[in-house]
Amino acid sequence: ATAPSMINIDNWVDVIIFNQILQNWDYYENNMNLMFWGTKWSLGVTDLDWTVGLWAGYGGGDAINLLSWRGTLFPNKIYPALLSRIKIRYTELRNNKIIDINNLYEIYSEIPSLIGENRYKKEVEHWTSFPNSGQNRFNTEKIMTVLTARIGYLDSIWKLP
């Protein structure tokens, strides 16, 4: 059997793009689940606590170039095989303003209400040693600044003319 007959490639491409936008630096080795739905394998995302510039307090657009992965299978086989599809899909999502700072702002603004204000507050209070606690807490403005830089970086490597 060939990979396209066993793998939900559209899902894999979207998950790679999603994780790169969020700067989820260890997704391919720690924070991704392989799931079998119906007839094909899909990827699922977990553990997004060190994303959007929180890794090592980093807030730049390239996030220490997340595309230089450790290991061999993902960077040497999977990513190169999907790169042309990633570029096409990323460009489509950018052109349709799905990956757009205004759209991302709307999504981030809704998160506390979707989780529930009380649960959100308890979660923040619980993780007092987390890097976004106290003075390092990422507010909406800082998140949008990091995402804007990240989108600019990904545009430079993935967005087609």
Side-chain angles (χ1 to χ4, degrees), residues 33-128:
N33 293 322
L34 192 58
M35 300 171 285
F36 190 77
W37 288 334
T39 60
K40 294 187 177 187
W41 290 96
S42 295
L43 295 177
V45 180
T46 61
D47 193 12
L48 297 171
D49 58 348
W50 285 81
T51 60
V52 194
L54 287 177
W55 183 72
Y58 188 81
D62 66 354
I64 311 173
N65 190 358
L66 289 177
L67 300 174
S68 344
W69 294 296
R70 296 182 299 259
T72 57
L73 178 62
F74 202 90
N76 296 339
K77 300 285 184 185
I78 296 172
Y79 179 71
L82 296 178
L83 183 57
S84 63
R85 290 181 78 145
I86 289 169
K87 289 180 177 184
I88 290 167
R89 178 68 170 154
Y90 180 82
T91 301
E92 173 190 352
L93 295 170
R94 287 290 283 136
N95 289 344
N96 290 324
K97 299 197 181 298
I98 294 166
I99 298 175
D100 176 80
I101 199 62
N102 294 319
N103 190 40
L104 294 176
Y105 175 81
E106 292 299 320
I107 292 168
Y108 265 93
S109 297
E110 292 175 5
I111 290 174
S113 64
L114 294 172
I115 295 171
E117 295 288 342
N118 289 337
R119 181 67 200 141
Y120 183 79
K121 183 178 177 186
K122 286 179 183 179
E123 186 76 8
V124 171
E125 289 170 354
H126 176 75
W127 296 104
T128 57

